[in-house]
Amino acid sequence: MSKHKDKKVSAEPGNGFNSKGLGLRVQKKLASKMSSKAVAKVFIDEPTGQLLDNVYSLVKEYTSDKKDAEKIIKYIIKVTIKIAIAYRNDQFNGEEISLISDFKKKFRTLIMTITSFVEVDFTFDSQYLSKLFLECSTLLQQILARHTTEKTKGKVDRVFTLLGDQSFLEAVFKPDTNYSPLMSKISKQLDELMESGTL
């Protein structure tokens, strides 16, 4: 009789194997390796992908640096996926869920402010918009505090530092420039994503 005949492998939590925990680790590992738009499309729907494409074009136009623009979009995608994975796997505690609710409200205010500034002439206020970006960044860092590395937190800072920079905002919101067609597209896409409940 084989000495292994009666040996059983348990998948019960606490017995050395946990399918949910393993699944979470695998998902996080996959998220950490994501860099191409082709792979990201598995997680990001078509309208959101189109929005990110236009944000990429906007950043590239401003920085004249294709690689830097690509990094910004990759950072947005990776952080978004990591948050989605953690949320889906019930990794956030009560306080963090409350912070997520606060972030959603603040982010929606940011989106509505952007679309308003694009659509209504002479309303743009770079200081106010920059402040909203900073507040969103602060809330997001609090949400991520227990769940990500310093490297990921640095990526969040990089995204919000650029997008919330007053010089960047003043450039892209200035009427009748190379940025204007892109800003009109972004504003329309943001409106559509708000109406669909995606944002």
Side-chain angles (χ1 to χ4, degrees):
M1 182 181 291
S2 169
K3 62 182 178 180
H4 298 295
K5 184 175 181 180
D6 297 323
K7 187 176 181 180
K8 294 181 180 179
V9 177
S10 174
E12 290 298 317
N15 287 326
F17 183 84
N18 185 315
S19 295
K20 184 176 180 181
L22 177 61
L24 178 58
R25 288 195 300 274
V26 170
Q27 289 178 71
K28 285 183 175 179
K29 186 71 173 177
L30 286 171
S32 71
K33 291 181 177 296
M34 289 203 176
S35 57
S36 70
K37 286 191 282 186
V39 180
K41 283 179 181 178
V42 175
F43 291 86
I44 295 175
D45 61 25
E46 188 67 25
T48 305
Q50 291 172 353
L51 171 64
L52 290 175
D53 285 345
N54 284 321
V55 173
Y56 161 79
S57 297
L58 191 72
V59 174
K60 187 177 75 167
E61 178 75 22
Y62 178 77
T63 63
S64 299
D65 189 331
K66 180 181 178 182
K67 286 186 177 179
D68 194 43
E70 288 176 350
K71 282 183 180 178
I72 291 295
I73 300 306
K74 287 175 185 178
Y75 292 167
I76 292 172
I77 290 169
K78 286 184 177 182
V79 171
T80 300
I81 291 170
K82 286 182 179 182
I83 292 172
I85 289 170
Y87 191 85
R88 190 164 59 226
N89 288 277
D90 300 320
Q91 297 296 298
F92 294 114
N93 60 30
E95 182 181 354
E96 289 162 346
I97 294 294
S98 179
L99 285 169
I100 289 172
S101 178
D102 292 341
F103 174 78
K104 286 180 178 179
K105 291 174 186 176
K106 183 66 66 176
F107 190 68
R108 287 178 70 87
T109 299
L110 172 64
I111 297 305
M112 289 188 288
T113 302
I114 290 172
T115 57
S116 175
F117 285 169
V118 171
E119 294 167 5
V120 183
D121 292 338
F122 310 112
T123 58
F124 175 66
D125 183 338
S126 64
Q127 188 172 356
Y128 175 67
L129 193 53
S130 181
K131 180 172 175 284
L132 285 176
F133 271 105
L134 177 60
E135 289 170 351
C136 284
S137 178
T138 300
L139 283 168
L140 189 55
Q141 291 287 20
Q142 291 175 319
I143 292 165
L144 294 172
R146 289 192 313 118
H147 304 279
T148 56
T149 63
E150 291 303 314
K151 185 177 179 181
T152 297
K153 293 170 189 174
K155 291 175 181 178
V156 172
D157 281 339
R158 178 74 184 92
V159 170
F160 281 95
T161 297
L162 172 63
L163 299 183
D165 179 74
Q166 288 193 49
S167 296
F168 171 76
L169 294 171
E170 287 166 4
V172 301
F173 277 91
K174 187 176 181 179
D176 303 317
T177 66
N178 290 342
Y179 304 109
S180 300
L182 280 170
M183 290 301 294
S184 293
K185 288 179 183 178
I186 288 169
S187 176
K188 182 180 179 182
Q189 288 167 331
L190 288 172
D191 268 336
E192 290 171 350
L193 289 170
M194 286 272 286
E195 288 176 10
S196 69
T198 303
L199 293 179

